[in-house]
Amino acid sequence: MQLMQPFSTAILQEGGLRPSGTLTQRRLSDMRGMYADSAAVDALLSAGENPLIYEVDAADLPEEAGQVLYCTTTIYPGTIGGEYFMTKGHYHAQRDRGEVYYGLSGQGYLLLQTERGDFHAEAMQPGLLSYVPPYWAHRSVNTGQEPFVFLAVWGGDAGHDYGTIERLGFARLLMERDGSPSLVENPRYR
Ligand code: M6P
Ligand code: ZN
């Protein structure tokens, strides 16, 4: 059997791996339907504005059991209809796989929920590790004025299930209210 060779990667506090892996950029047009205020989304897009919401630099590793995958995520600051810039969010295709997030710079929140109706919000900041247990969907949100950057590490065979969140959304929205983050019920959830 051919073994992989060990290696090291630099993790940049401002986001990114060195050497870089695979870069993915998500703009507003990639996230239609995820922000509650669809009129605000349509207004921006029809005005020709399609802001970069976040980008991911993911290590080029095989997505298979036994591998340990990792990436940095950089969420830019901003709001859409008062809702902070955020990731799409996902369950793991294999629901019993967990993940860890480690804050590198900026400020944000991790929103988590389960299919049986639990919801949890965890503040994230540089130096803090946030644990995503098996079975919890996870979405991260930038609540600060600068890019919010974190490292994520998860199992190679976990997989991403985006469809469930695309259909149902998250139970709560993280909105800017009087300059501070406020969790509100998502009127369109389920
Ligand atoms: C974290 C990890 C990645 C994920 C990324 C962006 O870094 O959970 O697996 O891809 O956030 O989140 P999403 O894929 O939900 O857009
Ligand atoms: Zn994940």
Side-chain angles (χ1 to χ4, degrees), residues 16-83:
L17 311 176
R18 292 295 179 275
S20 296
T22 298
L23 286 171
T24 302
Q25 294 195 321
R26 301 251 192 246
R27 295 185 173 273
L28 182 58
S29 58
D30 302 312
M31 301 180 71
R32 284 167 204 275
M34 295 200 147
Y35 288 90
D37 187 345
S38 51
V41 173
D42 292 345
L44 280 169
L45 293 175
S46 46
E49 285 181 54
N50 189 14
L52 177 60
I53 310 284
Y54 65 103
E55 52 199 353
V56 174
D57 190 356
D60 292 313
L61 290 165
E63 292 192 29
E64 58 191 39
Q67 296 287 344
V68 179
L69 306 183
Y70 57 89
C71 69
T72 60
T73 299
T74 304
I75 309 175
Y76 291 96
T79 55
I80 307 282
E83 193 174 0

Side-chain angles (χ1 to χ4, degrees), residues 47-123:
E49 285 181 54
N50 189 14
L52 177 60
I53 310 284
Y54 65 103
E55 52 199 353
V56 174
D57 190 356
D60 292 313
L61 290 165
E63 292 192 29
E64 58 191 39
Q67 296 287 344
V68 179
L69 306 183
Y70 57 89
C71 69
T72 60
T73 299
T74 304
I75 309 175
Y76 291 96
T79 55
I80 307 282
E83 193 174 0
Y84 291 104
F85 282 15
M86 62 190 181
T87 61
K88 292 169 85 162
H90 60 272
Y91 283 96
H92 288 153
Q94 302 238 46
R95 294 287 196 270
D96 59 353
R97 304 298 198 264
E99 184 161 354
V100 292
Y101 283 2
Y102 183 73
L104 294 170
S105 52
Q107 300 289 328
Y109 272 85
L110 173 58
L111 307 184
L112 306 113
Q113 69 184 21
T114 68
E115 287 172 297
R116 50 163 231 204
D118 313 84
F119 180 88
H120 189 92
E122 197 64 26

